[in-house]
Short mmCIF file of all heavy atoms in Angstrom, two decimals:
data_model
loop_
_atom_site.label_atom_id
_atom_site.label_comp_id
_atom_site.label_asym_id
_atom_site.label_seq_id
_atom_site.Cartn_x
_atom_site.Cartn_y
_atom_site.Cartn_z
N VAL A 31 7.69 0.77 -2.90
CA VAL A 31 7.08 0.55 -4.19
C VAL A 31 7.62 1.62 -5.14
O VAL A 31 7.63 2.81 -4.81
CB VAL A 31 5.55 0.65 -4.10
CG1 VAL A 31 4.92 0.52 -5.47
CG2 VAL A 31 5.01 -0.40 -3.16
N THR A 32 8.07 1.20 -6.31
CA THR A 32 8.59 2.14 -7.31
C THR A 32 7.67 2.20 -8.50
O THR A 32 6.76 1.37 -8.65
CB THR A 32 10.00 1.70 -7.77
OG1 THR A 32 9.89 0.47 -8.47
CG2 THR A 32 10.96 1.55 -6.61
N GLN A 33 7.92 3.15 -9.39
CA GLN A 33 7.07 3.29 -10.56
C GLN A 33 7.28 2.14 -11.56
O GLN A 33 6.52 1.99 -12.51
CB GLN A 33 7.24 4.65 -11.24
CG GLN A 33 8.61 4.88 -11.82
CD GLN A 33 9.52 5.57 -10.86
OE1 GLN A 33 9.36 5.48 -9.66
NE2 GLN A 33 10.52 6.26 -11.38
N ASP A 34 8.28 1.27 -11.30
CA ASP A 34 8.49 0.11 -12.17
C ASP A 34 7.24 -0.76 -12.22
O ASP A 34 6.97 -1.39 -13.24
CB ASP A 34 9.67 -0.74 -11.66
CG ASP A 34 10.99 0.00 -11.76
OD1 ASP A 34 11.05 1.04 -12.44
OD2 ASP A 34 11.97 -0.46 -11.15
N ILE A 35 6.50 -0.82 -11.11
CA ILE A 35 5.31 -1.66 -11.11
C ILE A 35 4.25 -1.11 -12.07
O ILE A 35 3.45 -1.88 -12.61
CB ILE A 35 4.71 -1.85 -9.70
CG1 ILE A 35 4.22 -0.55 -9.13
CG2 ILE A 35 5.68 -2.53 -8.78
CD1 ILE A 35 3.40 -0.72 -7.88
N LEU A 36 4.26 0.20 -12.30
CA LEU A 36 3.32 0.79 -13.24
C LEU A 36 3.74 0.46 -14.67
O LEU A 36 2.91 0.15 -15.52
CB LEU A 36 3.23 2.29 -13.03
CG LEU A 36 2.79 2.74 -11.64
CD1 LEU A 36 2.85 4.25 -11.52
CD2 LEU A 36 1.38 2.24 -11.34
N GLU A 37 5.04 0.53 -14.95
CA GLU A 37 5.53 0.26 -16.29
C GLU A 37 5.35 -1.21 -16.67
O GLU A 37 5.22 -1.54 -17.85
CB GLU A 37 7.00 0.66 -16.39
CG GLU A 37 7.18 2.16 -16.29
CD GLU A 37 8.63 2.60 -16.20
OE1 GLU A 37 9.52 1.75 -16.08
OE2 GLU A 37 8.87 3.82 -16.24
N THR A 38 5.33 -2.10 -15.69
CA THR A 38 5.17 -3.53 -15.97
C THR A 38 3.71 -3.96 -15.88
O THR A 38 3.42 -5.16 -15.97
CB THR A 38 6.03 -4.39 -15.02
OG1 THR A 38 5.64 -4.10 -13.67
CG2 THR A 38 7.49 -4.13 -15.21
N GLY A 39 2.79 -3.03 -15.69
CA GLY A 39 1.36 -3.35 -15.64
C GLY A 39 0.90 -3.96 -14.34
O GLY A 39 -0.13 -4.64 -14.29
N ASN A 40 1.64 -3.71 -13.27
CA ASN A 40 1.29 -4.28 -11.96
C ASN A 40 0.80 -3.21 -10.98
O ASN A 40 1.16 -3.21 -9.81
CB ASN A 40 2.49 -5.01 -11.35
CG ASN A 40 2.86 -6.24 -12.13
OD1 ASN A 40 1.99 -6.99 -12.57
ND2 ASN A 40 4.15 -6.45 -12.33
N ALA A 41 -0.07 -2.35 -11.45
CA ALA A 41 -0.58 -1.27 -10.59
C ALA A 41 -1.32 -1.80 -9.37
O ALA A 41 -1.40 -1.12 -8.35
CB ALA A 41 -1.48 -0.35 -11.39
N SER A 42 -1.81 -3.03 -9.47
CA SER A 42 -2.53 -3.60 -8.34
C SER A 42 -1.60 -3.93 -7.17
O SER A 42 -2.05 -4.35 -6.11
CB SER A 42 -3.26 -4.88 -8.78
OG SER A 42 -2.33 -5.85 -9.20
N LEU A 43 -0.30 -3.72 -7.34
CA LEU A 43 0.66 -3.95 -6.27
C LEU A 43 1.08 -2.67 -5.55
O LEU A 43 1.97 -2.70 -4.71
CB LEU A 43 1.91 -4.66 -6.83
CG LEU A 43 1.68 -6.01 -7.49
CD1 LEU A 43 2.97 -6.55 -8.07
CD2 LEU A 43 1.10 -6.99 -6.47
N MET A 44 0.45 -1.55 -5.90
CA MET A 44 0.80 -0.29 -5.23
C MET A 44 0.48 -0.35 -3.74
O MET A 44 1.20 0.21 -2.91
CB MET A 44 0.09 0.91 -5.86
CG MET A 44 0.59 1.27 -7.23
SD MET A 44 -0.08 2.84 -7.83
CE MET A 44 -1.81 2.47 -8.04
N LEU A 45 -0.61 -1.01 -3.40
CA LEU A 45 -1.04 -1.14 -2.01
C LEU A 45 -1.08 -2.61 -1.63
O LEU A 45 -1.28 -3.47 -2.48
CB LEU A 45 -2.44 -0.52 -1.82
CG LEU A 45 -2.61 0.96 -2.12
CD1 LEU A 45 -4.07 1.36 -2.02
CD2 LEU A 45 -1.74 1.80 -1.23
N GLN A 46 -0.95 -2.87 -0.33
CA GLN A 46 -1.17 -4.22 0.15
C GLN A 46 -2.68 -4.48 0.11
O GLN A 46 -3.48 -3.56 -0.04
CB GLN A 46 -0.68 -4.37 1.58
CG GLN A 46 0.82 -4.27 1.71
CD GLN A 46 1.25 -4.48 3.16
OE1 GLN A 46 0.52 -5.05 3.96
NE2 GLN A 46 2.44 -4.03 3.47
N GLU A 47 -3.07 -5.73 0.29
CA GLU A 47 -4.49 -6.04 0.27
C GLU A 47 -5.22 -5.54 1.51
O GLU A 47 -6.40 -5.19 1.44
CB GLU A 47 -4.69 -7.56 0.15
CG GLU A 47 -4.29 -8.10 -1.20
CD GLU A 47 -4.54 -9.60 -1.29
OE1 GLU A 47 -5.40 -10.13 -0.56
OE2 GLU A 47 -3.85 -10.24 -2.10
N LEU A 48 -4.52 -5.50 2.64
CA LEU A 48 -5.18 -5.19 3.93
C LEU A 48 -4.26 -4.40 4.83
O LEU A 48 -3.06 -4.68 4.93
CB LEU A 48 -5.55 -6.51 4.63
CG LEU A 48 -6.18 -6.42 5.99
CD1 LEU A 48 -7.62 -5.92 5.89
CD2 LEU A 48 -6.16 -7.79 6.66
N TYR A 49 -4.83 -3.40 5.48
CA TYR A 49 -4.12 -2.61 6.50
C TYR A 49 -4.99 -2.61 7.76
O TYR A 49 -6.19 -2.35 7.67
CB TYR A 49 -3.89 -1.17 6.04
CG TYR A 49 -3.01 -1.05 4.83
CD1 TYR A 49 -3.55 -0.96 3.55
CD2 TYR A 49 -1.62 -1.07 4.95
CE1 TYR A 49 -2.74 -0.87 2.44
CE2 TYR A 49 -0.80 -0.97 3.84
CZ TYR A 49 -1.36 -0.87 2.59
OH TYR A 49 -0.54 -0.77 1.49
N LYS A 50 -4.38 -2.87 8.91
CA LYS A 50 -5.07 -2.81 10.20
C LYS A 50 -4.46 -1.69 11.00
O LYS A 50 -3.26 -1.67 11.22
CB LYS A 50 -4.91 -4.13 10.95
CG LYS A 50 -5.53 -5.31 10.27
CD LYS A 50 -5.29 -6.57 11.09
CE LYS A 50 -5.80 -7.80 10.37
NZ LYS A 50 -5.49 -9.02 11.11
N VAL A 51 -5.32 -0.78 11.48
CA VAL A 51 -4.82 0.39 12.20
C VAL A 51 -5.68 0.63 13.44
O VAL A 51 -6.91 0.69 13.33
CB VAL A 51 -4.81 1.66 11.32
CG1 VAL A 51 -4.30 2.84 12.08
CG2 VAL A 51 -4.00 1.42 10.05
N ASP A 52 -5.03 0.77 14.58
CA ASP A 52 -5.72 1.17 15.81
C ASP A 52 -6.19 2.62 15.66
O ASP A 52 -5.43 3.45 15.12
CB ASP A 52 -4.74 1.06 16.97
CG ASP A 52 -5.32 1.37 18.33
OD1 ASP A 52 -6.07 2.36 18.47
OD2 ASP A 52 -5.05 0.62 19.27
N ILE A 53 -7.38 2.93 16.08
CA ILE A 53 -7.94 4.28 15.87
C ILE A 53 -7.22 5.37 16.66
O ILE A 53 -7.48 6.55 16.45
CB ILE A 53 -9.45 4.34 16.16
CG1 ILE A 53 -9.75 3.97 17.61
CG2 ILE A 53 -10.22 3.51 15.17
CD1 ILE A 53 -11.18 4.25 18.03
N GLU A 54 -6.31 5.00 17.56
CA GLU A 54 -5.53 5.99 18.29
C GLU A 54 -4.20 6.27 17.60
O GLU A 54 -3.37 7.00 18.13
CB GLU A 54 -5.30 5.52 19.72
CG GLU A 54 -6.56 5.29 20.51
CD GLU A 54 -7.46 6.53 20.60
OE1 GLU A 54 -6.95 7.66 20.62
OE2 GLU A 54 -8.69 6.33 20.63
N HIS A 55 -3.98 5.71 16.42
CA HIS A 55 -2.71 5.83 15.72
C HIS A 55 -2.87 6.59 14.40
O HIS A 55 -3.95 7.08 14.08
CB HIS A 55 -2.09 4.47 15.48
CG HIS A 55 -1.70 3.77 16.76
ND1 HIS A 55 -1.88 2.44 16.94
CD2 HIS A 55 -1.15 4.24 17.89
CE1 HIS A 55 -1.45 2.11 18.14
NE2 HIS A 55 -1.01 3.19 18.74
N THR A 56 -1.79 6.64 13.65
CA THR A 56 -1.75 7.33 12.36
C THR A 56 -1.63 6.33 11.23
O THR A 56 -0.85 5.39 11.31
CB THR A 56 -0.55 8.30 12.32
OG1 THR A 56 -0.66 9.23 13.39
CG2 THR A 56 -0.49 9.06 11.01
N LEU A 57 -2.40 6.53 10.18
CA LEU A 57 -2.26 5.74 8.97
C LEU A 57 -1.32 6.48 8.03
O LEU A 57 -1.56 7.64 7.71
CB LEU A 57 -3.64 5.57 8.29
CG LEU A 57 -3.63 4.93 6.90
CD1 LEU A 57 -3.14 3.49 6.96
CD2 LEU A 57 -5.01 5.01 6.29
N VAL A 58 -0.23 5.83 7.62
CA VAL A 58 0.72 6.43 6.70
C VAL A 58 0.97 5.46 5.57
O VAL A 58 1.43 4.33 5.79
CB VAL A 58 2.07 6.76 7.39
CG1 VAL A 58 3.04 7.38 6.40
CG2 VAL A 58 1.86 7.69 8.57
#
């Protein structure tokens, strides 16, 4: 993701809608 999404008014695209993470792992 680049800052272009901010300049075009698409800040809602900075993150995906959903992340699934096993509790024995790392969220990055």
Side-chain angles (χ1 to χ4, degrees):
V31 176
T32 65
Q33 65 267 26
D34 294 347
I35 65 169
L36 301 175
E37 292 172 353
T38 58
N40 293 319
S42 63
L43 299 176
M44 289 190 293
L45 300 174
Q46 293 183 20
E47 290 182 26
L48 178 72
Y49 297 95
K50 296 178 185 177
V51 180
D52 184 315
I53 60 169
E54 300 303 327
H55 295 140
T56 302
L57 171 65
V58 179

